[in-house]
Amino acid sequence: MSGSELALEVKDLRTTLFLREGRVDVVRGVSFQLKQGETLALVGESGCGKTMTALSIMRLLPDPPARVTHGQVLLAGADVSRMPEHQMRSLRGETVSIVFQEPLTSLDPVFTIGDQIVEAITSHRKLQRGEAREMAVEILKEVQIPSPGQRLKDYPHQLSGGMRQRVMIAMALVLDPKVLIADEPTTALDVTIQAQILDLIRTEQEQRRLAVLLITHNLPVVSQVADRVAVMYAGEVVEEAPASEIFSDPRHPYTQGLLSSIPSAAGDHKHLYTIPGRVPDPRVLPPACLFAPRCPYALRRCWQEHPELEATVSAGHADTSTQPDRHLLRCWNPQPFTALQAIEPQEVDRRIATSE
Ligand SMILES: Nc1ncnc2c1ncn2[C@@H]1O[C@H](COP(=O)(O)OP(=O)(O)OP(=O)(O)O)[C@@H](O)[C@H]1O
Ligand SMILES: [Mg+2]
């Protein structure tokens, strides 16, 4: 695939925290590609580096302590890694936008919705206030906010959580970017509103041929909207595949564990699988495979050699790493997806202690 068809390409990204106690890598060589009109879901437990990846792409890392220390981010072919800040500022909103989990913290409580959208427009485009206001009404209409002219006069606290998230999406899209990053966009909302917001993202994505990077720890959400899924664990991508394959044929024991711990509507909640132990502290990582302490299939090799992310043969497809439906896996001992063997949390602690 030529570089120009790609809306976003992340190459071997490493993000490091410079803390008093030393350097800690929280994103460890992450690579992925996103085409126009495609949705890639980035999933994984809390603390695995999803937000740090998103903030690295946007160049919005809290610096100090965080800094990108390796790799490249290409947005619509342009390398943003070494771009001067003023150029990056014009790309934010115009080429790439981000929507966060809690819109109340992203919206300024002392300005009206209208002021904030108009400001987002006029900081990029030389337009009269009236023209920008018209654009604001149009975009609020597009994200299905009733009486948009009236709502422009509202302050953020006067809107419901779902409406605020619609406003954030409107602000993110008003300058017609190519890439939308949505970091847990529905997590703070109740289930019915979640579904409506996902619907909205999907509709906008189709109409605008947006490339969407959807960050979530909610796998059922992923199954509704994603084309491809990248599963992150302790700062690394451990599996990446078409969404349908992640659900039908997950290869990594971590992905299998995540899927086995989803309660189904009619399911037997008592026998849900729980991945034993916790995500490792990035300051004290296992020596080779980072998932080995929690893995039901760990071998001696998993404690000795770090596995790379490599193309695997997926059912019915030829094995090449350049195919759009490629299935990538970082594992020495993948097993078919069956009932996972339970491990006691004490066993995880023992393995870490002895690093067997
Ligand atoms: N400002 C900071 N100072 C120190 N450590 C931080 C800071 N911000 C993030 N971290 C650490 O970086 C790692 C990655 O965090 P990140 O926020 O990217 O996780 P996440 O996958 O987005 O999790 P969640 O699902 O909870 O949002 C975690 O170990 C976290 O504790
Ligand atoms: Mg996060």
Side-chain angles (χ1 to χ4, degrees), residues 52-74:
M52 283 290 160
T53 302
L55 295 178
S56 303
I57 296 167
M58 297 297 294
R59 289 209 2 206
L60 290 174
L61 285 169
D63 178 7
R67 230 181 306 146
V68 170
T69 45
H70 186 80
Q72 276 183 315
V73 173
L74 302 172

Side-chain angles (χ1 to χ4, degrees), residues 66 77 112 123 125-126 142 213 218 238 249 287 294 297 300 323 345 352:
T112 63
S123 63
R125 307 258 164 93
K126 285 198 175 64
E142 187 177 313
L213 179 65
N218 185 338
V238 295
D249 186 21
R294 308 172 75 188
Y297 309 125
R300 184 165 292 276
Q323 289 203 341
I352 295 168

Side-chain angles (χ1 to χ4, degrees), residues 5-304:
E5 287 176 274
L6 293 175
L8 171 64
E9 188 171 15
V10 174
K11 289 186 186 175
D12 204 14
L13 178 73
R14 183 170 291 266
T15 303
T16 307
L17 298 177
F18 292 82
L19 303 173
R20 216 169 293 138
E21 61 262 40
R23 293 171 58 137
V24 182
D25 291 334
V26 287
V27 178
R28 310 166 64 84
V30 164
S31 301
F32 56 81
Q33 301 179 338
L34 189 52
K35 284 185 286 184
Q36 279 313 125
E38 187 181 45
T39 297
L40 173 73
L42 197 56
V43 304
E45 281 164 291
S46 186
C48 70
K50 303 180 298 292
T51 296
M52 283 290 160
T53 302
L55 295 178
S56 303
I57 296 167
M58 297 297 294
R59 289 209 2 206
L60 290 174
L61 285 169
D63 178 7
R67 230 181 306 146
V68 170
T69 45
H70 186 80
Q72 276 183 315
V73 173
L74 302 172
L75 272 169
D79 185 354
V80 305
S81 322
R82 279 157 209 88
M83 210 172 253
E85 178 54 28
H86 70 90
Q87 213 173 328
M88 188 62 213
R89 215 175 297 139
S90 77
L91 240 65
R92 287 189 208 107
E94 295 266 5
T95 307
V96 60
S97 286
I98 188 162
V99 176
F100 293 103
Q101 174 176 334
E102 184 35 82
L104 254 193
T105 57
S106 318
L107 289 166
D108 195 326
V110 301
F111 292 102
T112 63
I113 301 299
D115 283 341
Q116 295 185 60
I117 305 180
V118 165
E119 162 66 19
I121 299 168
T122 53
S123 63
H124 284 262
R125 307 258 164 93
K126 285 198 175 64
L127 289 176
Q128 300 295 326
R129 236 192 117 69
E131 292 172 301
R133 197 181 168 282
E134 264 168 46
M135 273 176 85
V137 170
E138 277 312 303
I139 195 78
L140 288 186
K141 229 187 261 172
E142 187 177 313
V143 299
Q144 296 148 34
I145 290 193
S147 323
Q150 281 301 110
R151 294 288 77 76
L152 286 183
K153 296 177 203 143
D154 285 347
Y155 288 88
H157 74 270
Q158 292 175 284
L159 301 178
S160 67
M163 283 297 155
R164 278 197 293 265
Q165 196 56 295
R166 282 180 195 273
V167 168
M168 287 312 296
I169 293 170
M171 249 158 99
L173 297 180
V174 71
L175 298 170
D176 202 19
K178 292 185 186 321
V179 181
L180 176 69
I181 302 178
D183 188 354
E184 305 275 8
T186 63
T187 306
L189 304 171
D190 71 51
V191 178
T192 334
I193 309 294
Q194 273 187 19
Q196 293 170 6
I197 296 292
L198 284 177
D199 253 0
L200 173 66
I201 293 176
R202 197 166 32 197
T203 308
E204 290 294 340
Q205 191 236 9
E206 279 166 15
Q207 281 174 4
R208 295 168 177 266
R209 292 204 72 235
L210 269 173
V212 176
L213 179 65
L214 177 70
I215 297 176
T216 178
H217 57 253
N218 185 338
L219 280 165
V221 161
V222 169
S223 66
Q224 289 172 41
V225 293
D227 299 302
R228 294 185 61 80
V229 180
V231 180
M232 266 186 97
Y233 186 75
E236 293 182 333
V237 173
V238 295
E239 183 162 13
E240 192 209 303
S244 56
E245 260 184 57
I246 285 284
F247 288 92
S248 65
D249 186 21
R251 305 287 174 83
H252 199 286
Y254 179 58
T255 314
Q256 296 180 353
L258 288 178
L259 288 168
S260 305
S261 48
I262 304 174
S264 68
D268 172 2
H269 293 204
K270 262 186 282 175
H271 294 108
L272 273 184
Y273 183 75
T274 309
I275 304 173
R278 280 182 290 120
V279 179
D281 181 336
R283 288 164 300 185
V284 207
L285 290 175
C289 170
L290 304 181
F291 188 62
R294 308 172 75 188
C295 181
Y297 309 125
L299 308 171
R300 184 165 292 276
R301 187 181 193 185
C302 309
W303 291 91
Q304 293 168 339

